[in-house]
Amino acid sequence: MQGYEKYKESGVAWIGRIPEGWEIRRIATIGNFFKGKGIPKSFLSDSGFPAIVYGEIYTKYDISTSKTINFIPEESSEDLTYIEKGDLLFTGSGETREDIGKCIVYMGSNKVYIGGDIIVLRQEKINSLFLSYVLNSHISIYQRARMAKGEIVVHIYQSNLKEILFCLPSAIEQDHIANFLDKKTSEIDVLISQKEQLLVLYEEEKAAIINQAVTKGIDPNVKMKESGVPWLGKIPEHWTLASLKWISKIYSGGTPDRNNDDYWFNGDIPWLNSGTVNQSFITTPSEYITEEGLTNSSAKWINKNSLVMALAGQGKTKGMVALVTFPSTCNQSLGVIKPYSTISSKFLLYFLKDKYYYIRGLAGEGKRDGLNLEIIGSLFIPVFNKTEQDEIVEFIENALLIIDKKIQKTKKIIALQKEYRTALISEVVTGKVKVPEEDI
């Protein structure tokens, strides 16, 4: 893509030169701002009048939308704020300065109600889709980040948004740029989506490899037999089964009193909370406790290469398992599994990870439903020669290493595609490059 024939100084150092015929404008000069009113979660439904709440601008929409994913009942719409086609919506609060004030343009024909913390710009002078690309470009993000207030929760206000400067071409060029970016970003989004789907397939391949290896072994010619356990199916003929409590020591940890500084201050004993199971291999502690804290609580030492399983937790945590790579202690929401010498810790790790959904189901899916040591101890585990266990672990890890390299390569491609998409928008809306005639 080539630049324009002639440029001029914009008068704004961080924008630099702009094409001759373009101008620098302030958002305050093109329209009026107003705010949405709070929509309680209890109002949201799957039918009724279309509605948008501010969190969805971060997670569900990008640049523009003509449809909504939420609705409110007709009787709930009284006194709420609504938007019309061409209105631009900004998020008034967020978690980071880089995200604050994200913008989308509503391009639908129906009246849509909006929740609180949404700031609306209504204008009729400029192509709204073009303006949305402008307001999601680097020059806008840079300005919003400088204007934002707060640390833990970041806010931006109408008065701030009014001060945003942007590059304005002719009406014809606005249309050309909006159409070009819509076409090109859609093409890039398709490529990104394809790569993201590939990541899903890679994870499914990893799961299939682990499942096959820990339940069927790695010898394709081995004779199989019924295990007698419905959720396990057939296993190699020479394997046996044993309850986990017969092949390992199982116990839970504890948490020293949080109100006693002597149990925590300057501690040097590693201690783990439930969140650590999100790692397959735990390499760092969550916190440290003191010797006094260990003595005066139900916390217990965990040997290196023991496993910990989350007994409770919302989301996906409950039932997850990880291997501890250093001596540590843990809280009461983790069950500790210390395999006896005939059992490979890594084999047991991969087996329990493979059975995650079955194990989780034993506790129920309610937020308050938890696993306990008795449930864990009753799990049937394949038992066979330690040498074969180690061979299976080596096979799994070699296979996963190959797939993980593909995953990292794919993630890098996705990152580059997203970077190119962002750069393309910024270069075009600031006039650094010109939309090719064949793309108009």
Side-chain angles (χ1 to χ4, degrees), residues 275-290:
T276 55
V277 293
N278 288 295
Q279 314 165 54
S280 292
F281 296 90
I282 301 171
T283 56
T284 55
S286 308
E287 298 180 64
Y288 291 89
I289 61 175
T290 64

Side-chain angles (χ1 to χ4, degrees), residues 187-201:
E187 292 173 355
I188 297 169
D189 289 342
V190 169
L191 296 175
I192 292 173
S193 178
Q194 290 171 345
K195 293 299 182 185
E196 289 174 338
Q197 182 58 35
L198 189 57
L199 292 179
V200 173
L201 295 176

Side-chain angles (χ1 to χ4, degrees), residues 40 60 69 112 128 136 189 195 219 225 237 246 252 314:
K60 304 297 182 182
I69 61 170
V112 171
S128 293
N136 283 288
D189 289 342
K195 293 299 182 185
D219 180 358
K225 67 178 181 182
E237 194 173 53
W246 297 117
S252 61
Q314 299 179 17

Side-chain angles (χ1 to χ4, degrees), residues 108-372:
S109 55
N110 295 324
K111 188 162 59 176
V112 171
Y113 290 88
I114 58 168
D117 255 352
I118 293 179
I119 301 171
V120 181
L121 169 62
R122 179 167 291 167
Q123 60 82 41
E124 298 177 353
K125 301 177 181 179
I126 298 172
N127 181 309
S128 293
L129 183 57
F130 165 80
L131 199 52
S132 185
Y133 279 113
V134 168
L135 293 170
N136 283 288
S137 68
H138 278 324
I139 63 166
S140 178
I141 294 171
Y142 167 75
Q143 293 176 81
R144 298 196 311 257
R146 292 180 63 190
M147 298 171 180
K149 309 293 183 184
E151 296 299 332
I152 298 176
V153 178
V154 184
H155 297 277
I156 196 164
Y157 304 99
Q158 296 179 40
S159 57
N160 303 131
L161 296 174
K162 288 179 179 180
E163 299 305 313
I164 291 177
L165 300 175
F166 67 100
C167 307
L168 182 64
S170 68
I172 293 176
E173 284 183 289
Q174 293 170 35
D175 295 342
H176 290 168
I177 288 172
N179 293 336
F180 170 79
L181 288 177
D182 234 24
K183 175 185 174 184
K184 290 300 179 182
T185 56
S186 294
E187 292 173 355
I188 297 169
D189 289 342
V190 169
L191 296 175
I192 292 173
S193 178
Q194 290 171 345
K195 293 299 182 185
E196 289 174 338
Q197 182 58 35
L198 189 57
L199 292 179
V200 173
L201 295 176
Y202 283 144
E203 293 298 335
E204 290 176 354
E205 184 180 0
K206 288 168 65 173
I209 288 171
I210 293 172
N211 173 264
Q212 177 71 20
V214 299
T215 59
K216 303 294 185 287
I218 56 177
D219 180 358
N221 300 313
V222 70
K223 290 184 178 181
M224 308 296 288
K225 67 178 181 182
E226 291 293 340
S227 67
V229 178
W231 54 268
L232 192 53
K234 290 184 177 181
I235 59 174
E237 194 173 53
H238 62 286
W239 290 14
T240 58
L241 296 177
S243 296
L244 186 56
K245 62 186 175 184
W246 297 117
I247 61 171
S248 64
K249 182 179 179 181
I250 302 174
Y251 56 97
S252 61
T255 303
D257 185 353
R258 286 285 187 182
N259 295 318
N260 193 328
D261 290 341
D262 292 338
Y263 296 169
W264 297 90
F265 185 67
N266 282 337
D268 59 1
I269 296 174
W271 181 86
L272 307 175
N273 64 28
S274 311
T276 55
V277 293
N278 288 295
Q279 314 165 54
S280 292
F281 296 90
I282 301 171
T283 56
T284 55
S286 308
E287 298 180 64
Y288 291 89
I289 61 175
T290 64
E291 186 68 43
E292 188 177 354
L294 175 63
T295 303
N296 291 282
S297 72
S298 55
K300 302 176 184 68
W301 276 106
I302 305 170
N303 287 2
K304 177 182 178 181
N305 292 327
S306 293
L307 308 182
V308 288
M309 179 181 290
L311 303 177
Q314 299 179 17
K316 65 178 184 178
T317 302
K318 181 172 58 183
M320 291 186 69
V321 64
L323 188 148
V324 185
T325 62
F326 54 90
S328 183
T329 61
C330 71
N331 71 10
Q332 64 277 11
S333 293
L334 289 173
V336 181
I337 305 168
K338 178 187 175 185
Y340 294 151
S341 59
T342 55
I343 304 298
S344 161
S345 294
K346 284 189 174 181
F347 173 82
L348 190 55
L349 170 71
Y350 288 120
F351 180 83
L352 293 174
K353 285 174 74 69
D354 179 61
K355 303 307 174 189
Y356 164 75
Y357 289 105
Y358 171 75
I359 294 170
R360 185 183 176 89
L362 294 174
E365 289 300 325
K367 292 182 179 179
R368 296 183 179 274
D369 297 333
L371 295 164
N372 56 49

Side-chain angles (χ1 to χ4, degrees), residues 1-7 15 17-20 22 130 167 169 173-174 176-178 180-181 184 420-437 439-440:
M1 296 177 67
Q2 303 297 316
Y4 286 77
E5 289 184 7
K6 295 182 179 180
Y7 284 85
I15 292 181
R17 299 197 311 158
I18 60 174
E20 196 171 87
W22 288 36
F130 165 80
C167 307
E173 284 183 289
Q174 293 170 35
H176 290 168
I177 288 172
F180 170 79
L181 288 177
K184 290 300 179 182
Y420 170 67
R421 185 186 190 277
T422 302
L424 178 65
I425 292 171
S426 293
E427 292 286 283
V428 171
V429 300
T430 57
K432 300 298 185 290
V433 294
K434 184 178 182 181
V435 175
E437 293 294 331
D439 287 312
I440 295 176

